[in-house]
Amino acid sequence: MFVHLKRESKGGQVLTVMDCYKQQYGVTKQEAVSNFVELIEETWKDVNMDWVETTFVPKEIAIQFLNYAQMCEAIYNRNNVDGYSDPHVVKEDVVALFIDPILI
């Protein structure tokens, strides 16, 4: 997970969120990754709960935000590879979703 952070910090000139977190909380890289994984899981629980309970925003609008969040999750976490800067890793998913979808 967080493979794209390696790409961001290759030059050693730019601090990543992981670098800042490690420095601020005095934790190892593995501890930081574990904490971020836990944070992401808790956030998805919140998103799903909010989705179920949303009444003040039209569902059509809420769906757009939910789709965006799901897309970000899929692009950045496919096989622990950054699909945004290396798009060939998500080609199979794009084909499955848009070219050969499974109709229900």
Side-chain angles (χ1 to χ4, degrees):
M1 186 167 218
F2 300 105
V3 172
H4 62 282
L5 293 176
K6 289 180 186 175
R7 175 187 47 81
E8 289 177 0
S9 63
K10 274 185 181 175
Q13 298 175 359
V14 178
L15 286 177
T16 65
V17 67
M18 204 59 71
D19 295 328
C20 294
Y21 187 89
K22 285 174 19 185
Q23 184 177 6
Q24 182 174 352
Y25 295 103
V27 297
T28 66
K29 180 179 179 179
Q30 187 56 42
E31 289 172 320
V33 169
S34 294
N35 290 344
F36 271 76
V37 168
E38 186 177 320
L39 180 62
I40 290 168
E41 288 175 8
E42 290 300 317
T43 301
W44 272 115
K45 289 177 187 176
D46 292 343
V47 167
N48 289 327
M49 186 59 71
D50 288 345
W51 168 252
V52 171
E53 297 174 352
T54 296
T55 57
F56 61 92
V57 174
K59 286 289 185 187
E60 294 80 13
I61 294 173
I63 286 172
Q64 296 302 315
F65 287 105
L66 183 61
N67 287 343
Y68 180 73
Q70 291 171 332
M71 184 269 314
C72 290
E73 176 83 7
I75 292 294
Y76 280 106
N77 291 322
R78 171 84 166 138
N79 296 324
N80 293 329
V81 177
D82 177 8
Y84 182 77
S85 59
D86 194 6
H88 79 275
V89 300
V90 293
K91 179 181 177 182
E92 185 178 311
D93 293 337
V94 171
V95 169
L97 288 170
F98 300 108
I99 308 296
D100 299 323
I102 297 173
L103 301 176
I104 299 176

